Amino acid sequence: MDQDSPVLFSRRGAMALATLNLPKALNALNLEMIKLLDRQLQEWAEDDSVACVWIEGSGEKGFCAGGDVVSLYKASSAYGEAPQTDYTTEFFSREYRLDYRIHTYPKPVVVWGGGIVMGGGIGIMAGASHRIVTERTRMAMPEVTIGLFPDVGGSWFLNRMPGRLGLFLGLSGAQFNGSDALFAGLADRLIADNERLATLDVLADLPFTREAAENHRLVSDCLKGQELRQDRQPASNLRAHYDQIQALTDFSTLPEVCDSITGYDGDDEWLQKAAKTLAGGSPLTPWVVWEQLRRGRHQSLAEVFRMELSLAVNLCASGHFREGVRALLIDKDRSPQWQPASLKDIEWREVERCFATPWPGEHPLADL
């Protein structure tokens, strides 16, 4: 295997390993990585010698910081310009196919989510059968800061969090830790960060069989034995603030909810940061989050990804995404000039356009 490849593949007996290999970019997913990983997962699914898949990221900083938004920025439109929809359609359709494949994979998939796990990284992790976090895990769906939306199945997993935690996280982009991920249903086990290699060794030595259900049981029981003791796990902000988050989001309209969150005037730093992020974010994203969660509540997983593909391509073409990435990652002035500039200036027809299917023919994910 070429060690310069953006994804490395190897074997440990019946266990197949995939390593995202762009540590300097925090393993942010580009189109080549998505293609490589998806193709290899297809091969492993059909290979009887593979009983379990392990996915991790290289480097010390994290599993995956999200998607390669800079390349998407280059293909997206500025305000009033024509977008390059071919690239954005290919990128997101391939990414969502990969995420869907992991959600529906016939064999156990273990994802080691240590360090930074955001955006597209959560997309890979969310669908895995065994999702591991550590005491160093830092997660977020921070798309409000770049004029996108919590995609990669966010319409699915945010809707399945307790109470209105999913709405709060989708609107505010608030960071959360491994204990939060357990509480919110985005992780299954919290294992000490320095136990990664030991955990991999124990899993590789399991007496795997040709029965997927039995292999799932073996992996589950093994990881349960590796979990960090409760008294050594970090405190959960989502658990501690659950009642307060419920109160902040207990309104029937989006403007009321946003006013409530951004109007927080307490001394809790975590809630202060969430309020500040929402206040400075794209005024279009909250409307999209509100509507995507409403529409996605009773959709199938395939319907969720089809809806999100339309949203992703349309939002990249809207200019909000381009302005957000410009301010955060290109010019780095952190002063996005949103158009329109405020939540109340967004017309509902603009929100509806985000959900319209932008392709004249068959939807690219029609076969899911």
Side-chain angles (χ1 to χ4, degrees):
M1 167 62 69
D2 178 7
Q3 294 302 308
D4 292 329
S5 173
V7 187
L8 303 177
F9 303 109
S10 59
R11 289 287 298 271
R12 292 278 302 273
M15 176 171 284
L17 284 72
T19 303
L20 307 182
N21 190 39
L22 286 180
K24 291 182 179 179
L26 298 178
N27 301 315
L29 292 172
N30 60 37
L31 189 55
E32 182 184 5
M33 295 169 73
I34 292 167
K35 290 178 179 179
L36 287 170
L37 183 55
D38 192 51
R39 181 166 60 244
Q40 189 63 64
L41 286 175
Q42 290 183 63
E43 293 180 9
W44 284 339
E46 299 168 1
D47 186 345
D48 290 340
S49 71
V50 173
C52 178
V53 174
W54 169 284
I55 305 176
E56 64 180 8
S58 62
E60 299 299 320
K61 293 186 177 180
F63 170 59
C64 175
D68 179 11
V69 295
V70 173
S71 66
L72 288 167
Y73 166 85
K74 293 175 181 177
S76 67
S77 68
Y79 292 104
E81 295 181 2
Q84 299 176 30
T85 57
D86 288 348
Y87 179 81
T88 54
T89 296
E90 181 181 14
F91 181 92
F92 286 112
S93 61
R94 285 186 177 273
E95 183 182 22
Y96 297 171
R97 280 186 182 278
L98 170 62
D99 295 335
Y100 184 81
R101 186 179 308 283
I102 294 172
H103 272 275
T104 59
Y105 207 66
K107 300 175 181 181
V109 177
V110 182
V111 171
W112 183 271
I116 296 172
V117 188
M118 296 184 182
I122 292 182
I124 291 178
M125 186 173 173
S129 59
H130 298 81
R131 304 160 299 179
I132 300 172
V133 288
T134 80
E135 73 277 15
R136 291 183 55 248
T137 296
R138 287 171 49 211
M139 304 180 78
M141 294 296 289
E143 289 80 6
V144 67
T145 62
I146 57 170
L148 202 56
F149 72 105
D151 65 331
V152 294
S155 313
W156 178 268
F157 58 75
L158 292 177
N159 259 324
R160 283 159 176 75
M161 292 181 177
R164 288 181 291 275
L165 291 185
L167 174 63
F168 176 81
L169 292 175
L171 291 174
S172 69
Q175 286 193 16
F176 53 102
N177 63 26
S179 296
D180 292 323
L182 290 175
F183 182 67
L186 265 183
D188 303 294
R189 295 292 172 193
L190 198 157
I191 298 175
D193 198 71
N194 61 7
E195 291 294 314
R196 180 182 64 85
L197 292 178
T199 302
L200 183 55
D201 288 342
V202 173
L203 284 174
D205 288 338
L206 288 175
F208 288 114
T209 72
R210 288 182 176 269
E211 297 296 326
E214 174 63 12
N215 292 335
H216 275 276
R217 185 191 66 78
L218 287 169
V219 173
S220 296
D221 290 347
C222 175
L223 295 179
K224 183 177 181 179
Q226 299 293 114
E227 189 155 34
L228 192 62
R229 270 185 6 210
Q230 189 105 26
D231 61 353
R232 295 179 57 197
Q233 295 182 11
S236 167
N237 276 318
L238 293 183
R239 185 187 292 272
H241 293 88
Y242 180 80
D243 290 340
Q244 198 165 8
I245 290 171
Q246 289 298 97
L248 288 171
T249 56
D250 191 14
F251 299 92
S252 58
T253 69
L254 175 69
E256 289 175 300
V257 172
C258 289
D259 286 346
S260 174
I261 296 173
T262 59
Y264 172 76
D265 60 358
D267 56 5
D268 186 280
E269 292 183 1
W270 186 74
L271 288 175
Q272 287 175 350
K273 187 173 182 180
K276 183 178 179 181
T277 302
L278 174 56
S282 164
L284 177 59
T285 295
W287 286 108
V288 172
V289 173
W290 184 264
E291 183 66 6
Q292 79 172 110
L293 294 183
R294 187 192 71 79
R295 296 189 185 200
R297 185 174 179 84
H298 299 295
Q299 288 181 336
S300 68
L301 183 62
E303 289 170 336
V304 157
F305 280 118
R306 283 194 283 268
M307 176 182 71
E308 290 187 359
L309 182 58
S310 297
L311 279 172
V313 172
N314 287 332
L315 278 169
C316 280
S318 75
H320 289 263
F321 170 72
R322 185 176 176 88
E323 176 60 13
V325 175
R326 179 207 64 76
L328 187 66
L329 298 173
I330 306 301
D331 297 338
K332 300 182 181 180
D333 57 30
R334 294 184 176 269
S335 298
Q337 303 301 307
W338 307 113
Q339 300 177 23
S342 67
L343 197 76
K344 63 181 176 57
D345 294 327
I346 300 292
E347 296 185 1
W348 183 248
R349 61 185 177 183
E350 184 176 359
V351 180
E352 290 183 316
R353 280 198 297 267
C354 293
F355 288 85
T357 303
W359 305 279
E362 186 176 63
H363 193 288
L365 298 181
D367 59 319
L368 289 186

